[in-house]
Amino acid sequence: MTAATSLELDRIRADFPCLDQEVNGRPLVYLDNASSAQKPRQVIESMRQVYERDYANIHRGQHSLSMRATAAYEQVRGKVARFLGTTNESEIIFTSGTTAGINLVAQTWGRRNLRPGDEIVLSEMEHHSNIVPWQLIAEEKGAQIRVIPMDDRGQLDLEAFAELLGPRCRMVAVAQVSNSLGTINPVAEIIAMAHRAGARVLIDGAQAAPHLRVDVRALDCDFYVFSAHKTYGPTGTGALYGKMELLEAMPPWQGGGDMIDQVSFTRTTYNVPPMKFEAGTPNIAGVIGMGAALDWMRQIGLDAIAAHEHRLLERATAAISEIEGIRIIGTAEKKASVLGFWLEGAHPHDIGAILDQYGVAIRAGHHCAQPVMQHFGLPATARASFAVYNTEDEIATFIEALRKAREFFA
Ligand code: PMP
């Protein structure tokens, strides 16, 4: 690592109060970033400022606090639009996260457009939140779920995908990056193929937005969703991007304040997007915190973040490969941030517990991707996942702790 990079890393780490602590008597090594990332003080401060100085309910307020809160909140719409690559802020709907965004599309676009016998194509590596919402609406509408298979490296079979793109396929919903395997899927190609077959495409960006530069207009996806808590922002916030002509044609999902135009007991008319999909008092401080997180990422530089994390992933992959009895789960050619593995003779939960004794936080389980576990015939995997604040020294600590865990089970 060059001196310049390490200096910058010190500065980056100094922004994260949570990283500066010991766990079980050792410096914390936080490698559970795919679950949720830690928060820089700029995010924490922005939310503190809202609650301490600028807090009031937003929209339709005549007093200064409400106007300040509304301005700060609405400003984030532009930040998210720029982050995702659209120039139309009205295409950005604030949600509570990825799960909420997918459910919204399934319950509105899906309810309006799916007919009995229609097909929804998902991939074998989807998170449960990009499976179950589609199953729910498919069951209701008599639609079928079809699945793009993957190979044993965790790469989607695009030839099989092409076969699935029949005339009944209405929606293709896939992750840009898999949370359990780290695979970066060729979503531009998937979107183009789906569009040629007349299907719409939703991209689950939960694991992509923290690591890759996203450009929804260049991708030409119809919907894109992500969660702020993985992009260094607060929990309970996120966004859905949708093409305006689709959002306009979709019925509302939840009814309530803000999503209406006129209400009477005989007839209610609805607001235009994005408000049509934002019923009720939203997570005001959370959205403002999401804006601060995107500012923070932009200031560090999205390409610099991706390059640093890629180096960490390569370093960790090389080091873990030398440990006897380790099988890496997810060896796709293109990967981001996630290192899933299985250690012969040890349950991943036990590995997670032992690593915690060394201050190393990883995750073990099915990662809300049970079909992936079924593919590999495993009950669970252990998963280390990297963020911009992780260091090569931390990778060394992780590998050392894993070696100790292995000795324990040998
Ligand atoms: N999709 C993927 C690929 C994910 O990694 C996650 C979070 N683990 C989700 C969807 C769901 O995100 P959230 O829980 O923030 O709604």
Side-chain angles (χ1 to χ4, degrees):
M1 199 189 312
T2 64
T5 322
S6 64
L7 267 184
E8 195 174 286
L9 259 187
D10 286 347
R11 193 170 58 76
I12 287 170
R13 289 181 67 83
D15 281 343
F16 290 82
C18 190
L19 296 178
D20 185 21
Q21 64 174 299
E22 293 195 344
V23 167
N24 294 321
R26 315 275 180 126
L28 168 66
V29 174
Y30 186 78
L31 300 179
D32 191 21
N33 297 289
S35 298
S36 206
Q38 299 298 342
K39 321 302 172 200
R41 63 179 80 250
Q42 290 85 341
V43 168
I44 300 165
E45 279 307 315
S46 75
M47 295 174 73
R48 179 207 289 272
Q49 157 136 0
V50 181
Y51 282 127
E52 287 187 353
R53 304 233 13 110
D54 302 325
Y55 184 77
N57 210 333
I58 54 169
H59 299 148
R60 301 173 313 283
Q62 289 74 40
H63 62 83
S64 295
L65 289 192
S66 177
M67 288 190 274
R68 282 211 304 260
T70 303
Y73 176 91
E74 283 301 331
Q75 208 189 21
V76 180
R77 221 179 281 282
K79 293 181 184 184
V80 174
R82 278 192 297 284
F83 180 68
L84 292 182
T86 174
T87 49
N88 185 354
E89 291 180 17
S90 300
E91 291 181 320
I92 302 299
I93 295 154
F94 292 136
T95 65
S96 63
T98 303
T99 303
I102 297 170
N103 277 281
L104 192 159
V105 176
Q107 291 297 321
T108 60
W109 182 92
R111 175 158 294 137
R112 174 61 54 92
N113 291 288
L114 292 171
R115 306 271 173 274
D118 281 350
E119 292 169 357
I120 301 162
V121 172
L122 311 175
S123 92
E124 201 181 350
M125 67 178 78
E126 294 314 307
H127 188 281
H128 297 163
S129 67
N130 199 26
I131 300 175
V132 185
W134 298 113
Q135 288 175 324
L136 289 170
I137 193 68
E139 192 173 342
E140 195 180 311
K141 306 297 283 188
Q144 308 293 320
I145 304 286
R146 311 289 301 274
V147 182
I148 313 170
M150 64 180 178
D151 64 18
D152 291 342
R153 295 179 70 180
Q155 300 178 133
L156 294 182
D157 180 343
L158 291 194
E159 281 177 24
F161 175 49
E163 304 268 302
L164 292 174
L165 285 172
R168 302 312 305 262
C169 178
R170 305 300 311 281
M171 169 60 78
V172 174
V174 293
Q176 188 167 9
V177 174
S178 152
N179 71 312
S180 55
L181 302 165
T183 311
I184 301 177
N185 285 318
V187 287
E189 201 176 338
I190 288 171
I191 292 161
M193 287 168 75
H195 282 170
R196 280 198 295 276
R200 296 292 180 189
V201 185
L202 176 141
I203 299 296
D204 172 354
Q207 295 295 339
H211 308 296
L212 308 176
R213 187 182 285 281
V214 177
D215 188 336
V216 291
R217 287 274 172 93
L219 286 175
D220 194 33
C221 55
D222 299 293
F223 302 102
Y224 194 99
V225 286
F226 78 98
S227 301
H229 69 93
K230 296 183 202 278
T231 59
Y232 310 100
T235 51
T237 56
L240 159 68
Y241 157 82
K243 282 183 180 163
M244 184 46 77
E245 71 265 25
L246 296 177
L247 296 178
E248 280 170 341
M250 279 154 54
W253 181 25
Q254 294 178 321
D258 264 11
M259 52 75 72
I260 51 84
D261 172 30
Q262 296 290 323
V263 177
S264 75
F265 285 111
T266 47
R267 184 163 180 268
T268 289
T269 52
Y270 306 120
N271 210 332
V272 293
M275 305 312 290
K276 181 165 79 172
F277 301 103
E278 293 181 7
T281 301
N283 186 347
I284 300 164
V287 165
I288 292 167
M290 167 162 67
L294 299 186
D295 285 345
W296 186 86
M297 286 180 75
R298 182 177 285 270
Q299 185 232 321
I300 302 298
L302 299 179
D303 296 332
I305 292 173
H308 174 67
E309 290 171 346
H310 191 68
R311 265 199 309 277
L312 293 177
L313 179 63
E314 285 196 329
R315 177 65 64 105
T317 303
I320 207 173
S321 307
E322 287 177 8
I323 301 179
E324 211 181 310
I326 287 276
R327 177 178 164 206
I328 297 177
I329 307 299
T331 52
E333 202 175 312
K334 290 197 174 144
K335 285 185 63 177
S337 172
V338 166
L339 180 57
F341 58 95
W342 172 262
L343 174 61
E344 209 43 59
H347 193 284
H349 286 161
D350 296 331
I351 299 173
I354 292 176
L355 262 55
D356 185 56
Q357 294 307 305
Y358 292 92
V360 179
I362 64 160
R363 189 152 292 252
H366 54 58
H367 314 291
C368 296
Q370 287 182 7
V372 171
M373 302 300 122
Q374 287 152 17
H375 179 103
F376 290 98
L378 298 172
T381 63
R383 181 187 71 185
S385 52
F386 311 109
V388 63
Y389 43 63
N390 289 128
T391 67
E392 296 197 7
D393 286 349
E394 288 184 313
I395 303 292
T397 305
F398 157 58
I399 295 292
E400 189 51 34
L402 194 53
R403 283 188 186 281
K404 297 259 173 45
R406 189 184 160 274
E407 280 164 23
F408 183 85
F409 289 107

